[in-house]
Structures are given as structure tokens and as C-alpha cells.
């Protein structure tokens, strides 16, 4: 899951911005979330910088290597929809409200989350134009919105919680 071949490196030089600043040292694809923290520690120990990345559909340069000592951590392999549930929330003055919850990994393609929600009669609120390729982690990192943002807000407006790996 650690790639040094020219195709892998070149395909991670830019995102949808097409800004090309530096070639990454390597591209790594963790198999499980538990692999991310040890991976970050190893990258730090080597004196390198880590850049998380999903599908590379971002338009702000968030996944573009900006130095020669960057390692791209491609999270597309973390693509499980773990579950869906109803959750009761306590509101002001003791009232409650039910909400639909979907637990997903960072590499889940947005369209797959939209389809999973639709099969249950739900609406997945974040719907960027790149839904066919963009990933949930990237949507959060870039605060994607799309055509439904006016109705339901952007990605960050629709997150109950998340886990972030730090070295």
C-alpha cells in the first residue's frame, strides 16, 4: 500500500485545481482507520509532511503537495458505510427530536452515501456536483455544499461528530 511508481506519484501531484507545485515522495493507501495514526507517526519520524487526500476533486488546492517532502495519504480505501440509525436528541426545555444518522468512513464516495440514504427514504444533505467521485472526508475538509446547500447547509452543517487522526 506504499506506492512509488511514476503513475501513482503523478496522479497525486494535483487535485481538480490543476495546480502543480511538487511531486510527492510516495502515496500510501491505509487499509483501515487504525493504520492512519501509526502511518502519521512514521511519516513524522522520517521528517516528512503528510497530506490527506480522497478523490482529488477539490477546487481549492487542499490536496496539492506544496513541498518536496510530502507523503500523500490517500483515504479512498476507507470506504465503508458502517451503519444507519435513528437517534434521539435532547433539545432546549426538555423536548426531544429524532434524527437520522449515517456512520461512514472518510473514503466513502458521496454518491454512494446519497444512494444508501435514498434506499431508506432519507435525503443525504451534501450533494456537490462531484458527488460521483468526491469522498465524504474531502467534503468535510473543503466544506462542500452543492445544489442542496441552500436547503440543508454544507457538509459541516450536517455532521454530528467525526474522528481525526493526529500523529
Amino acid at each position: 500500500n506504499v506506492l512509488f511508481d511514476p503513475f501513482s506519484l503523478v496522479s497525486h501531484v494535483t487535485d481538480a485545481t490543476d495546480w502543480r507545485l511538487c511531486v510527492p515522495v510516495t502515496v500510501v493507501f491505509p487499509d483501515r482507520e487504525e493504520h492512519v495514526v501509526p502511518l502519521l507517526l512514521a511519516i513524522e519520524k522520517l521528517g516528512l509532511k503528510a497530506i490527506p487526500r480522497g478523490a482529488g476533486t477539490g477546487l481549492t488546492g487542499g490536496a496539492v503537495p506544496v513541498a518536496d517532502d510530502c507523503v500523500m495519504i490517500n483515504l479512498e480505501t476507507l470506504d465503508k458505510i458502517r451503519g444507519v440509525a435513528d437517534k434521539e436528541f435532547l433539545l432546549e426545555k426538555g423536548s426531544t427530536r429524532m434524527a437520522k444518522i449515517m456512520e461512514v468512513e472518510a473514503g466513502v464516495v458521496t454518491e454512494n452515501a446519497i444512494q444508501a440514504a435514498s434506499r431508506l427514504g432519507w435525503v443525504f444533505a451534501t450533494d456537490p456536483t462531484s458527488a460521483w467521485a468526491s469522498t465524504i472526508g474531502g467534503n468535510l475538509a473543503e466544506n462542500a455544499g452543492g445544489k442542496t446547500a441552500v436547503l440543508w447547509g454544507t457538509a459541516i452543517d450536517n455532521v454530528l461528530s467525526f474522528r481525526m487522526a493526529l500523529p
Side-chain angles (χ1 to χ4, degrees):
N1 296 0
V2 180
L3 305 176
F4 297 95
D5 64 282
F7 177 79
S8 297
L9 297 180
V10 169
S11 66
H12 286 78
V13 165
T14 189
D15 58 10
T17 62
D18 203 30
W19 297 340
R20 296 167 189 270
L21 303 173
C22 298
V23 177
V25 173
T26 187
V27 180
V28 295
F29 292 83
D31 283 331
R32 297 193 319 258
E33 283 184 350
E34 301 83 47
H35 294 164
V36 176
V37 170
L39 181 58
L40 288 171
L41 289 168
I43 292 167
E44 182 180 52
K45 188 174 181 177
L46 291 169
L48 302 171
K49 296 169 182 65
I51 299 178
R53 176 191 165 106
T57 61
L59 293 169
T60 65
V64 174
V66 295
D68 290 325
D69 56 353
C70 292
V71 173
M72 301 302 289
I73 303 176
N74 189 312
L75 301 171
E76 289 179 290
T77 50
L78 303 179
D79 61 355
K80 292 175 188 60
I81 296 176
R82 292 197 174 143
V84 292
D86 289 312
K87 183 172 174 81
E88 186 174 27
F89 291 92
L90 181 62
L91 305 175
E92 294 178 5
K93 300 180 184 177
S95 64
T96 62
R97 179 174 178 167
M98 295 299 292
K100 307 293 186 184
I101 304 298
M102 179 183 292
E103 184 180 352
V104 299
E105 292 182 342
V108 169
V109 173
T110 308
E111 188 171 73
N112 294 344
I114 291 169
Q115 290 171 354
S118 179
R119 284 192 292 273
L120 297 168
W122 301 358
V123 172
F124 190 83
T126 304
D127 189 11
T129 55
S130 61
W132 61 274
S134 67
T135 59
I136 300 300
N139 290 344
L140 292 176
E142 297 292 320
N143 196 22
K147 57 189 173 284
T148 59
V150 173
L151 294 172
W152 297 302
T154 61
I156 292 173
D157 296 319
N158 289 284
V159 173
L160 175 62
S161 67
F162 62 90
R163 290 181 300 276
M164 181 184 301
L166 299 171

